[in-house]
Amino acid sequence: MDEETKSIITPGTSLVYPYYNDEGKLCAVLLKDSDFVLVDSSPTAVVDLSMQYFGTSLRGGIEGGKALMGRIHMTPVMVSESLDMYWFPSHSPSSNDCVWFSLAHVLTFLPIDKNHTKVIFRDGNVFTVNCSYSSFQSRYQRTCMLKNGLVARFTQMALGVKKGHKTFLIRKKHQRGNYEITDE
């Protein structure tokens, strides 16, 4: 795996969590295809870099999510629609404690105590996150809502295209520089 794609979230990535190296720098560990990959960037930077790799950014993803779902806290993001990659944070993305989860990989989750939740992934891996069950459940559900809302929009746009077509002539009028449209 080359250095450029080592830090990129793929469909096989289930989780990105924080790790401090020997110098105390915040880094990230990706759980990718049941292997742990250590990268020299924070978890949130990994998500942002991955989104940029697929043509957007974390900021754009958050703004897009809020446009669809309203002003919510800790907005989930679509990393890649074509690869069905929707991700959500355990804490604020600006927090050093933030863990990022792939919606597609979460099988179920269970409360451990007031502040911890056990997340069980589809491949059998288990991760305990420092997040209450109700908070984790809310973030998971928001991500489902984001995915369903975006899929509905994509489907509506695809179905909204008419099968027949009409031909128009659009030409610039010399008066005031406006265009006129006529059926051809």
Side-chain angles (χ1 to χ4, degrees):
M1 181 179 316
D2 65 21
E3 281 303 310
E4 180 187 23
T5 58
K6 178 176 134 176
S7 301
I8 301 299
I9 292 170
T10 66
T13 310
S14 53
L15 140 103
V16 179
Y17 66 90
Y19 169 81
Y20 289 91
N21 68 13
D22 294 337
E23 290 82 40
K25 180 182 178 193
L26 177 61
C27 299
V29 176
L30 285 68
L31 181 54
K32 241 183 196 188
D33 300 314
S34 293
D35 287 326
F36 295 99
V37 178
L38 177 63
V39 297
D40 195 30
S41 300
S42 73
T44 298
V46 168
V47 173
D48 188 30
L49 178 67
S50 299
M51 292 179 75
Q52 289 176 33
Y53 185 82
F54 293 112
T56 185
S57 68
L58 181 58
R59 182 177 176 172
I62 289 171
E63 289 174 2
K66 287 184 178 191
L68 178 70
M69 301 173 62
R71 300 218 37 91
I72 60 172
H73 189 58
M74 288 181 269
T75 308
V77 294
M78 175 183 64
V79 173
S80 169
E81 185 266 333
S82 63
L83 294 174
D84 194 34
M85 295 194 310
Y86 295 84
W87 284 70
F88 61 98
S90 66
H91 295 80
S92 169
S94 62
S95 167
N96 291 348
D97 294 329
C98 184
V99 178
W100 285 87
F101 293 89
S102 165
L103 178 66
H105 285 269
V106 175
L107 176 63
T108 192
F109 43 94
L110 307 164
I112 294 177
D113 59 34
K114 183 179 171 185
N115 297 314
H116 296 89
T117 301
K118 179 188 291 188
V119 181
I120 302 168
F121 296 101
R122 296 189 186 284
D123 61 6
N125 288 312
V126 177
F127 184 84
T128 300
V129 62
N130 295 334
C131 182
S132 72
Y133 176 82
S134 61
S135 293
F136 190 88
Q137 181 180 41
S138 173
R139 292 168 193 146
Y140 177 86
Q141 288 172 339
R142 281 189 206 144
T143 312
C144 292
M145 290 170 55
L146 174 69
K147 179 180 178 179
N148 289 339
L150 289 172
V151 167
R153 280 187 174 178
F154 299 148
T155 302
Q156 180 182 16
M157 292 296 280
L159 295 177
V161 176
K162 296 183 175 158
K163 302 276 186 231
H165 68 278
K166 210 171 180 184
T167 304
F168 295 98
L169 174 61
I170 305 170
R171 67 177 158 217
K172 190 170 187 175
K173 292 174 68 174
H174 293 290
Q175 302 163 340
R176 297 176 51 201
N178 289 330
Y179 289 83
E180 71 176 354
I181 301 170
T182 55
D183 290 341
E184 198 172 71

